[in-house]
Amino acid sequence: MKRILVPVLVVAVLAGCGKDESSSSSGGSSSGGSSSPGSSQKTPEEAFKDMQARILAKDGKGLWNFICEKSRKKMTESDEAKKGMDQLKAMPDEQLAEVVKTWGVTPAELKKMSNEEIMILNMNNMTKEEEEQKKARETKWKEVKIDGDKAVATTIEPDGKEEIVALVKEGGTWKIDIEETEKIKEKK
């Protein structure tokens, strides 16, 4: 029930976004430290390293900023998202208290939040889960194919499974494009 608001794809993509420096296909080195969303990143690999750092730092808001605007809008403003948020807010307080007990807010506080605030709160919660922390630590970078401001990255999950992620460059920062990722996966 904790992940009621975050599509499974988002969790899988964001949790498994680590980079193994020794296996990067770019051959370049990345700068030290983690750049913040909105700063120029030279490569998708740097964005993944930053996303991994956000998960390990349990920074759901920072992680949210690595999702492209189109995907964030779909997650908060689409009819489906609005319906889900309305259903969540309409739950009886006793039931809602069970859903949000690890989120650090009361049902009354949650009911006053915007859809985006709820998504960020849920992402903060997701980043605290040991399973997601483990995935972020152990996922390896395999390769990336860049075409202008779009890219398709491949990572290797801890279980050895390859994960494909579509990225788009917005404002100089590489961000996850969830809809494009879904399209790519449907073709396979």
Side-chain angles (χ1 to χ4, degrees):
M1 196 86 173
K2 283 192 247 180
R3 293 192 194 180
I4 191 169
L5 302 176
V6 179
V8 175
L9 174 65
V10 175
V11 174
V13 168
L14 295 177
C17 60
K19 175 187 172 192
D20 176 7
E21 297 288 332
S22 65
S23 65
S24 170
S25 65
S26 68
S29 63
S30 62
S31 60
S34 178
S35 61
S36 62
S39 66
S40 283
Q41 298 166 330
K42 295 178 183 121
T43 68
E45 293 93 333
E46 289 175 343
F48 272 96
K49 185 176 181 181
D50 289 347
M51 285 182 257
Q52 179 187 37
R54 301 288 180 210
I55 294 168
L56 296 174
K58 301 175 183 168
D59 178 10
K61 183 170 183 159
L63 197 56
W64 175 254
N65 291 326
F66 278 105
I67 299 172
C68 74
E69 184 66 25
K70 175 182 72 172
S71 295
R72 287 194 314 244
K73 282 187 179 214
K74 184 174 182 182
M75 293 169 70
T76 58
E77 297 176 17
S78 70
D79 290 341
E80 183 180 1
K82 288 177 184 177
K83 182 180 176 184
M85 296 291 185
D86 289 345
Q87 288 174 343
L88 179 73
K89 291 177 180 181
M91 284 181 174
D93 283 354
E94 188 175 287
Q95 186 179 5
L96 187 55
E98 280 299 307
V99 174
V100 300
K101 69 181 175 184
T102 61
W103 293 4
V105 297
T106 66
E109 291 169 328
L110 183 118
K111 289 178 180 184
K112 293 178 185 175
M113 295 177 140
S114 70
N115 291 356
E116 182 171 326
E117 290 170 325
I118 293 171
M119 289 300 301
I120 291 168
L121 185 65
N122 193 35
M123 291 184 87
N124 273 330
N125 188 59
M126 180 273 301
T127 63
K128 294 175 185 174
E129 295 176 13
E130 182 53 39
E131 181 181 330
E132 303 308 329
Q133 290 281 312
K134 181 179 188 270
K135 284 181 185 177
R137 284 190 306 270
E138 296 179 9
T139 297
K140 307 291 185 220
W141 184 262
K142 182 177 177 183
E143 65 185 1
V144 64
K145 295 177 183 159
I146 301 172
D147 183 12
D149 285 346
K150 295 182 180 187
V152 177
T154 304
T155 61
I156 307 295
E157 299 290 315
D159 64 3
K161 180 182 171 201
E162 287 190 2
E163 185 70 38
I164 305 295
V165 182
L167 302 160
V168 63
K169 200 168 196 179
E170 286 182 351
T173 301
W174 288 100
K175 298 183 179 190
I176 294 174
D177 184 331
I178 296 167
E179 290 77 22
E180 194 60 35
T181 299
E182 290 172 346
K183 288 177 188 175
I184 292 168
K185 289 183 177 190
E186 286 173 6
K187 291 179 183 177
K188 287 193 166 208

